[in-house]
Amino acid sequence: MAEAAGKAEYIVGVDLGGTKILSGVFKHSLECVGTSKLSTKSQRGVEAVIERVARCVREAVDESDLTLKQVAGVGIGAPGAVNFAEGRVIFAPNMEGWKDVSLKKDLEKQLGVPVFVENDCNIAALGVHAAELKGKPKSLIGIFVGTGIGGGIIINGDLYAGFNHTAGEIGHMVLDVNGPKCGCGNKGCFEALASRTAIFQQIKAGIKDGQKTILTDMLGDDLSDLRSGDLRKAIRRGDKFTDKIVEGAAEYIGIGVANLVNIFSPEVVVLGGGVIEALADEMMSVIVETAQDYAMPGTMKGVEIVASELGDSAGITGGAVLARRETK
Amino acid sequence: MAEAAGKAEYIVGVDLGGTKILSGVFKHSLECVGTSKLSTKSQRGVEAVIERVARCVREAVDESDLTLKQVAGVGIGAPGAVNFAEGRVIFAPNMEGWKDVSLKKDLEKQLGVPVFVENDCNIAALGVHAAELKGKPKSLIGIFVGTGIGGGIIINGDLYAGFNHTAGEIGHMVLDVNGPKCGCGNKGCFEALASRTAIFQQIKAGIKDGQKTILTDMLGDDLSDLRSGDLRKAIRRGDKFTDKIVEGAAEYIGIGVANLVNIFSPEVVVLGGGVIEALADEMMSVIVETAQDYAMPGTMKGVEIVASELGDSAGITGGAVLARRETK
């Protein structure tokens, strides 16, 4: 499989998350030829994490029977605010000590390959747009529901990042001004109502109030190690309590979708992230129905609302798309 | 003042509203050389209104000592959803019978001049961007607070209308999912919380509950003919009740601004419309402070939040900008 050495015709996408690092090596056609995965270990500090990112890239390249000389560029999605031009992570709330980190410069030093840094949700939207939807929609909003909720926006076929490169901070759109407290300090933010964190909190609060659920039979009373997939299993086993909470979250996601459709009039709305990946069958119809209820007449005509099928690969694919764009 | 006949070097902007029609004749430099105003009389039916629009244009042209032969094009903002390509008003909720009206075709027949139809808030944002801000900001959101709340979006220096040409429907962004009922059928929409209609309803409900206010001394117990300007007068005379309600609306506008800044990361947020025109001194500091409280760290850096000074002229100016763009 080894190609003629020295020809830099591959690109690498990296998804740097709070718990794990994923890398994928891609051809320019966006065919993935090898991947690698490492835990992030953010508690070891910024320098250690950057070394792990570099190692994860090297391992994916080795896995693909290639060398770094054959890589034209690396695109990386980081979970926070970034300065794209300088390749700096300004702030990543879920990673210890990540304030104003020169990720591009430090990684380039270690890898000897050009590196491009973007926000993780922007990257994921780019990946879904380019690979899953073949770059066809002129405008798209990606909504990624996991620990938090983030968004990525495509306008005129390209990533839209806005004046401060912060566009897509949809997780802190206020939907219920008197609603539950959010980690950001405000009340009733989208992610305080419909993220995995919000869903788990509601489940734990319900159990404390004496609600019965199969989840405690499955995982014990303290629900240690609860995951989104467990919610799906409980619902499929007829657990009404879990079903109701997940449906409630889906309704809020539907309202969020309607707000964004009213504001943006995108051609496609794509939902992704761990919660959607695990619960698409349970949530999507409620999301679509609620969005149609709340959107203004005429705004939904012909608009597709779909769950991404890229799953965990959205990030690495988007990273590759970014690297391809920047090294053209 | 008459120019050489036959040279079509002027453009006309029209603001078609539920109660009045404004027309303005402009040079290409966007200097206004004459205006005209008529009541809409929408109860007389669609055809009559279109004739009145044509009359209003003719009167503004005559007022400017010009003839229609010297007009290159007419740009018109209509209060509803439009099909820009076909120049049709799809639906205008505040105008009797306005469903699928071929405004462009009908007006062109009457005036013999090319006509271009846009949504009124899109047009107003375009006017503020081009004339008041000299076209400088790359991205801008205009928020117009009057009977309802509408928005207009500039991206990459031009109007962004989206897939269904409905972008900017910010008045129905849900901010308080359990809030007051909105005319659209949902609850807690932006305009159900902060429009003139919402403010007046809160004032009337308060009076019914026995609240004391200078407004009843000024206008009688039924507050017939209450206008935004009366609120300003009452507040300046020390009316705490009115002050509190207006401040509450300003807080909601601030939350709406923060949501839009989080989502869009615009360079400039412009506030306009009758409520802002009358109450800018009372509301703007609360709007800016609340927006800064609710926006995510980093999103507000260098973002200007300003009240438009174009007032009523935003619409006719934007109409002229549109006509200028389309007849280039």
Side-chain angles (χ1 to χ4, degrees), chain A:
Chain A
M1 276 287 288
E3 306 273 337
K7 251 185 125 179
E9 55 190 15
Y10 292 86
I11 41 187
V12 174
V14 181
D15 184 3
L16 170 57
T19 56
K20 65 179 189 286
I21 305 164
L22 294 176
S23 291
V25 180
F26 292 79
K27 293 187 177 173
H28 269 64
S29 62
L30 299 182
E31 185 193 332
C32 184
V33 296
T35 62
S36 173
K37 183 173 166 177
L38 275 180
S39 55
T40 306
K41 308 235 181 262
S42 90
Q43 73 281 5
R44 292 192 190 168
V46 174
E47 215 175 306
V49 170
I50 295 177
E51 274 178 31
R52 292 177 77 78
V53 172
R55 199 210 300 176
C56 189
V57 170
R58 277 196 211 93
E59 284 179 8
V61 171
D62 180 62
E63 188 65 31
S64 314
D65 296 315
L66 299 168
T67 71
L68 276 168
K69 289 212 168 114
Q70 291 166 279
V71 172
V74 175
I76 176 166
V82 305
N83 178 326
F84 175 72
E86 299 177 11
R88 302 178 85 84
V89 178
I90 297 165
F91 178 53
N94 297 319
M95 309 244 290
E96 277 176 48
W98 280 66
K99 276 201 170 174
D100 199 27
V101 173
S102 53
L103 183 57
K104 176 188 171 76
K105 207 181 96 197
D106 294 2
L107 265 183
E108 284 180 345
K109 207 179 289 173
Q110 297 201 31
L111 295 171
V113 164
V115 173
F116 309 96
V117 181
E118 250 296 354
N119 167 270
D120 56 352
C121 291
N122 284 359
I123 283 277
L126 199 61
V128 171
H129 180 258
E132 191 169 354
L133 303 170
K134 311 295 175 207
K136 280 179 201 156
K138 273 193 74 177
S139 55
L140 171 152
I141 295 189
I143 302 176
F144 302 96
V145 186
T147 314
I149 295 181
I153 298 168
I154 305 282
I155 284 180
N156 294 327
D158 205 356
L159 204 53
Y160 173 77
F163 178 62
N164 277 320
H165 208 91
T166 53
E169 268 288 7
I170 61 171
H172 299 283
M173 166 168 67
V174 174
L175 294 182
D176 183 4
V177 77
N178 298 305
K181 192 109 183 161
C182 179
C184 75
N186 295 327
K187 281 183 186 172
C189 294
F190 193 8
E191 74 174 42
L193 297 161
S195 66
R196 176 165 44 226
T197 314
I199 294 171
F200 285 8
Q201 270 171 1
Q202 287 169 43
I203 286 173
K204 286 174 181 170
I207 292 170
K208 227 176 170 179
D209 286 353
Q211 295 278 353
K212 292 280 165 235
T213 162
I214 296 169
L215 287 170
T216 49
D217 303 340
M218 289 165 57
L219 299 159
D221 283 349
D222 63 347
L223 296 188
S224 67
D225 209 26
L226 177 65
R227 284 152 190 270
S228 304
D230 298 320
L231 305 182
R232 183 186 58 228
K233 287 174 204 158
I235 291 171
R236 292 195 182 165
R237 286 170 63 186
D239 194 85
K240 297 268 180 249
F241 166 70
T242 303
D243 193 28
K244 212 181 148 197
I245 286 175
V246 168
E247 193 181 323
E251 283 173 5
Y252 277 116
I253 296 172
I255 295 173
V257 169
N259 274 3
L260 293 168
V261 168
N262 282 337
I263 294 170
F264 257 111
S265 189
E267 192 170 340
V268 179
V269 178
V270 175
L271 291 133
V275 170
I276 300 294
E277 211 184 333
L279 292 156
D281 288 347
E282 285 69 25
M283 296 180 100
M284 281 304 292
S285 62
V286 178
I287 292 172
V288 172
E289 250 171 65
T290 310
Q292 277 163 345
D293 271 5
Y294 274 84
M296 286 301 98
T299 57
M300 274 291 184
K301 198 178 160 193
V303 176
E304 281 186 73
I305 305 176
V306 293
S308 169
E309 291 180 356
L310 281 185
D312 246 7
S313 309
I316 55 172
T317 309
V321 175
L322 178 74
R324 184 177 70 172
R325 189 187 79 190
E326 294 298 317
T327 57
K328 248 185 193 160

